[in-house]
Amino acid sequence: MAGIGYAAAEPAVTGAPETAPAARPSRAGRRRSGVYYLMVAPALLLSGLVVVIPGVLTAVAAFTDWDGLGLRPNWIGWTNFRDIFTDPVFLQALKNNFIWMALFLTVPVAIGLVTALLLLKRGRSRTVYQVVFLIPYVLAPITNAILWLNIIYNPISGLVGYLRGHGWQVSAPLADVHTAIYAVAGVDVWHFWGFLTVVYLAALRQTPVDQVEAALVEGANGWQLFRYVYLPSIRSTLRLMSVMIVIFSFLAFDYVYLLTQGGPAHATEMLSTYAYTAAFSAFQFGKAAAVGLVMSGFGLLSSFVFVWLSRKES
């Protein structure tokens, strides 16, 4: 009887067990979160004022005939985009941007990677080399442009003039429609490869030493050491810098404008110089905004590819 009475006293268990109510955030936690939001607010405000708002206004202006002065531009839809994609100068600029991108994805990357591998075996002098290689990168573009215009490309007093004076049939690189874009790209490559060297060297130095030593013990040669040890270690850095190069290639402006202004005969015309001319020479700000959206589209596309590759690898 006692056992029966004890069993009757126990409550019946039906359904899922009751869960404890979720703990509410404490007052101190809410105050800490508020402090975090307050600290982030200036950066968000600055990004909104400098990036978001101008970006939205540029996107809206691309569908208008705004001349940069009027307060009430007319909405013209896709007319600006139809005009630029039927303009042979725009198509030439787009082609030049792809040539520029191909050059910068190969030449400075190869030079920077080979130089970084050579510096990897250096001792204390490695820092000195890095400082020297970074000098062109930290100099102002106008300084680099003047140096190359007067010391290298000048047909009278520069290297080109010296070669001409000694019987070499050398044309002025910036004045030839077939070589102008490569001459301008050469200046930018000279300015950029030192930066890539420093970045790649920092990535190479993060390779685990035990993997390198194990490969050497197994008898790996230099190519095998790079292919199977160093390259997998720096693959993420190579991918990131490739995306940045693609984005910068469609934003190239400074050296093109300083050296040729897009000439001769639009041989070095870029999307950036094309947009600059449309905005500040022809006062077609709506057309320039449309070109800016095209440039941004290529940058966004490369960013999406980078994110997709990163997720696929992870």
Side-chain angles (χ1 to χ4, degrees):
M1 297 293 294
I4 297 176
Y6 178 76
E10 288 185 354
V13 179
T14 58
E18 297 183 1
T19 57
R24 294 182 179 180
S26 63
R27 182 175 301 178
R30 292 195 298 268
R31 186 179 304 168
R32 191 179 301 112
S33 300
V35 172
Y36 292 157
Y37 289 132
L38 186 62
M39 295 177 65
V40 174
L44 294 177
L45 180 62
L46 183 62
S47 299
L49 293 176
V50 177
V51 178
V52 178
I53 295 178
V56 172
L57 293 178
T58 300
V60 173
F63 297 91
T64 67
D65 61 351
W66 188 44
D67 59 359
L69 300 175
L71 298 179
R72 294 193 177 186
N74 298 316
W75 185 268
I76 59 175
W78 296 92
T79 302
N80 288 325
F81 293 93
R82 287 196 296 267
D83 290 343
I84 62 176
F85 279 104
T86 56
D87 187 355
V89 178
F90 173 83
L91 298 178
Q92 177 66 34
L94 187 60
K95 175 184 174 182
N96 290 338
N97 270 110
F98 278 108
I99 294 175
W100 192 277
M101 180 185 67
L103 289 173
F104 273 79
L105 284 175
T106 52
V107 179
V109 171
I111 297 175
L113 191 56
V114 171
T115 308
L117 289 170
L118 294 175
L119 290 180
L120 192 62
K121 302 300 181 181
R122 305 294 298 183
R124 296 180 178 178
S125 60
R126 180 167 52 201
T127 303
V128 178
Y129 282 108
Q130 292 182 75
V131 172
V132 173
F133 293 155
L134 275 178
I135 289 177
Y137 188 77
V138 299
L139 289 177
I142 182 63
T143 304
N144 293 331
I146 291 176
L147 288 174
W148 278 76
L149 279 173
N150 291 279
I151 298 177
I152 306 297
Y153 292 148
N154 193 306
I156 298 175
S157 59
L159 178 61
V160 174
Y162 175 81
L163 294 176
R164 283 182 173 181
H166 288 74
W168 293 75
Q169 298 297 324
V170 180
S171 62
L174 297 177
D176 190 337
V177 294
H178 301 291
T179 61
I181 187 170
Y182 302 103
V184 176
V187 180
D188 207 354
V189 167
W190 174 79
H191 142 266
F192 188 60
W193 74 267
F195 170 74
L196 289 180
T197 298
V198 174
V199 173
Y200 293 153
L201 179 60
L204 288 170
R205 294 180 64 184
Q206 300 301 317
T207 304
V209 180
D210 55 348
Q211 296 182 10
V212 178
E213 294 176 347
L216 293 175
V217 170
E218 293 293 333
N221 56 32
W223 167 250
Q224 291 172 335
L225 185 64
F226 170 75
R227 172 66 180 84
Y228 297 106
V229 179
Y230 285 118
L231 185 58
S233 177
I234 66 172
R235 184 173 287 117
S236 60
T237 302
L238 291 173
R239 186 184 299 116
L240 175 61
M241 295 311 300
S242 298
V243 172
M244 299 304 296
I245 289 173
V246 171
I247 295 174
F248 292 154
S249 296
F250 285 95
L251 299 178
F253 175 79
D254 45 7
Y255 286 101
V256 177
Y257 190 78
L258 291 170
L259 293 171
T260 61
Q261 292 82 45
H266 304 291
T268 60
E269 194 77 66
M270 298 288 177
L271 294 179
S272 56
T273 57
Y274 182 86
Y276 182 88
T277 303
F280 298 105
S281 295
F283 291 98
Q284 296 176 335
F285 280 83
K287 184 177 181 180
V291 178
L293 289 185
V294 174
M295 296 166 59
S296 302
F298 286 108
L300 289 175
L301 180 61
S302 61
S303 300
F304 289 149
V305 172
F306 171 73
V307 173
W308 177 75
L309 291 175
S310 300
R311 290 182 176 178
K312 184 178 180 181
E313 182 180 359
S314 61

